[in-house]
Amino acid sequence: MTHKKIRVRFAPSPTGPLHMGGVRTALFNYLFARKHGGDFLLRIEDTDQTRFVRNAEKYIVDSLTWCGITIDEGIGAVNQGEYGPYRQSERKNLYRNFAYDLIASGNAYYAFDTAEELNTLREQGEAAKNPFVYNFETRKHLCNSLTLSEQEVAQRIADNQPYVIRFKMPENQDVHLYDEIRKEVHFNTKELDDKVLYKSDGMPTYHLANVVDDYTMGITHVIRGEEWLSSMPLHVLLYRAFGWETDMPKFAHLPLILKPQGQGKLSKRDGDKLGFPVFPLNWVGDDGETAAGYKETGYLPEAFVNMLALLGWNPGTEQEIFTMDELIDAFSLERVGKSGSKFDPEKTKWFNQQWIQRTPNYKLAELILPTILEQGIQTSPQYVEKVCALVKERAVFIQDLWLQATYFYKAPETYDEKVIQKRWDSSIPAILQEICEILQTQNTFSSTHLEETIKQYIHNKQLNMGQIFNCIRLCIVGTSAGAHLFDIFEMIGKTETIARIQKAIATIH
């Protein structure tokens, strides 16, 4: 028995920035494909031209690239693949032919009802508290090829009268489906409407294009968000209507990502409201709309991916930190839950902190060096790498490698008044002057040697170790916080260390 090669797709619409929920869908598809030696495709579903946003497609590709999700085929792939084009707007003729095939087989019909007529029926339904639905009951009384004669239909088409093509939903039929995550799912067609498959503007709707593309591109598994679960019966019925049931993909509908409070789906607007990003990258729309991204906020892609993977999936172990390869190895649809997962902004920061500590110092230096150079500071990648090694344990975001380490690059311009009031007294300037003289005589300026030397001086003088160390740090850093004091001495060197102490002696009164 031969098995088909696994082929999955991520098929977003270019209607704006890619939400983190969409990235998670792409990630789960990618992990599944890699786990089984399959292909991951990127297809752009741009059938709704009224909502098309010019920069959205590039944003989608850039976001997946930043996350380390490699596209094997389709938009953004090195080799496009043999099933293209991969933008639905470029496949219009293909969909039209399939729509006509459904009419020919009696599974679809022409509908000539105008938008005004349908709006009137909806308003009347609302007034009567009986919502209008275009379905197996109402279609018998509306303007379509099921109620008109063949001659009338042909004449309307010849007269270029606008029409849509609707799916002819079977009457009162139980549809038994299987979802890889939710298991048995049941629907009855009397609860479903006759969806439009082909619009009057010559474009297919999502439903027709989605099914045709998945079939013609050989997709074996459709892994998508829970919001599409209600579309599953229509899509399965379309496969049956086309006679493609034996080639129908397996379906898996992922649970929602919920707001931190747990009530409702995490939306694109929640980031600004709740103070955390919901997009992978910064977004600037044509209309001037902006939104913060995880990358620019200071998150590592490894942390973002790690966090997303554990929203809705669990490995069955206590392990929380995963590389992409470890995620691929551990991932399975069987361990994806049915219930929504609450997004936790604080846990996300924790993931980033963990990944900063695990990231090689040279990589951290590459990320923060441009920020340092923007300050007009001349330094070297090697020096920045050493600084990163000393401060990364305290860093939550990438920019902390600069914000918490400015004293490695320049002397403090101000001194913490609280430290001065608590630690500084009239004896301190003379003591610091003696320490400067000791430092001047040192041939070895290593952290270990300097710590031993200064501690011995303080001990011999019977001084308060905590007070003196805090005053020295105040001179070097400007506050009472920072990396190990003598590591800073070694990094900035003898001349700079002494100069900072002398400056503080002259400044602090």
Side-chain angles (χ1 to χ4, degrees), residues 266-481:
L266 185 68
S267 74
K268 291 185 175 184
R269 291 176 293 277
D270 286 329
D272 289 335
K273 282 195 231 168
L274 302 175
F276 54 79
V278 295
F279 304 109
L281 310 177
N282 275 358
W283 168 258
V284 180
D286 291 342
D287 58 358
E289 175 198 13
T290 62
Y294 275 88
K295 177 183 177 182
E296 294 79 6
T297 303
Y299 285 85
L300 290 167
E302 294 87 351
F304 179 62
V305 166
N306 196 160
M307 173 274 294
L308 275 185
L310 294 174
L311 281 177
W313 170 82
N314 78 82
T317 67
E318 295 299 311
Q319 183 177 350
E320 290 189 284
I321 303 300
F322 288 85
T323 64
M324 184 71 87
D325 286 342
E326 287 171 334
L327 286 173
I328 291 167
D329 186 59
F331 186 79
S332 70
L333 288 175
E334 289 75 20
R335 298 210 66 86
V336 176
K338 300 175 187 177
S339 302
S341 294
K342 283 195 291 186
F343 171 69
D344 185 343
E346 293 307 312
K347 186 72 172 183
T348 304
K349 292 177 185 177
W350 178 85
F351 275 114
N352 205 49
Q353 195 170 28
Q354 296 300 307
W355 270 103
I356 286 175
Q357 292 178 31
R358 285 164 171 75
T359 300
N361 298 321
Y362 78 89
K363 287 190 176 180
L364 295 176
E366 288 174 359
L367 292 171
I368 199 62
L369 183 59
T371 300
I372 296 169
L373 296 177
E374 284 172 8
Q375 310 300 316
I377 294 168
Q378 296 303 309
T379 187
S380 69
Q382 294 76 18
Y383 184 83
V384 177
E385 184 179 334
K386 290 179 182 178
V387 174
C388 288
L390 295 172
V391 302
K392 70 179 186 179
E393 283 193 8
R394 300 175 182 84
V396 176
F397 302 108
I398 291 299
Q399 58 267 32
D400 290 342
L401 298 170
W402 157 249
L403 296 174
Q404 295 187 16
T406 56
Y407 51 84
F408 279 105
Y409 304 99
K410 61 180 182 177
E413 296 176 2
T414 60
Y415 302 98
D416 190 326
E417 283 296 330
K418 289 183 180 178
V419 180
I420 294 171
Q421 291 173 13
K422 186 176 181 181
R423 300 290 187 175
W424 198 278
D425 61 38
S426 59
S427 68
I428 294 298
I431 294 168
L432 293 179
Q433 189 60 50
E434 286 187 14
I435 289 173
C436 285
E437 291 167 5
I438 293 169
L439 294 175
Q440 190 66 59
T441 63
Q442 302 306 305
N443 294 322
T444 301
F445 215 75
S446 69
S447 176
T448 305
H449 172 72
L450 293 171
E451 185 170 4
E452 290 175 356
T453 301
I454 301 304
K455 279 184 175 180
Q456 188 61 53
Y457 164 79
I458 294 171
H459 176 73
N460 291 342
K461 290 281 190 175
Q462 297 184 333
L463 300 172
N464 182 316
M465 191 80 69
Q467 180 187 19
I468 303 306
F469 271 25
N470 269 276
C471 287
I472 297 173
R473 182 179 292 280
L474 183 69
C475 301
I476 301 299
V477 177
T479 70
S480 58

Side-chain angles (χ1 to χ4, degrees), residues 137-165:
E137 289 183 326
T138 57
R139 69 191 179 204
K140 300 170 187 175
H141 313 290
L142 296 169
C143 187
N144 54 58
S145 56
L146 301 177
T147 59
L148 301 172
S149 68
E150 287 186 25
Q151 292 81 2
E152 286 179 291
V153 171
Q155 187 61 53
R156 285 172 181 264
I157 293 172
D159 292 341
N160 291 319
Q161 192 170 126
Y163 64 82
V164 299
I165 296 176

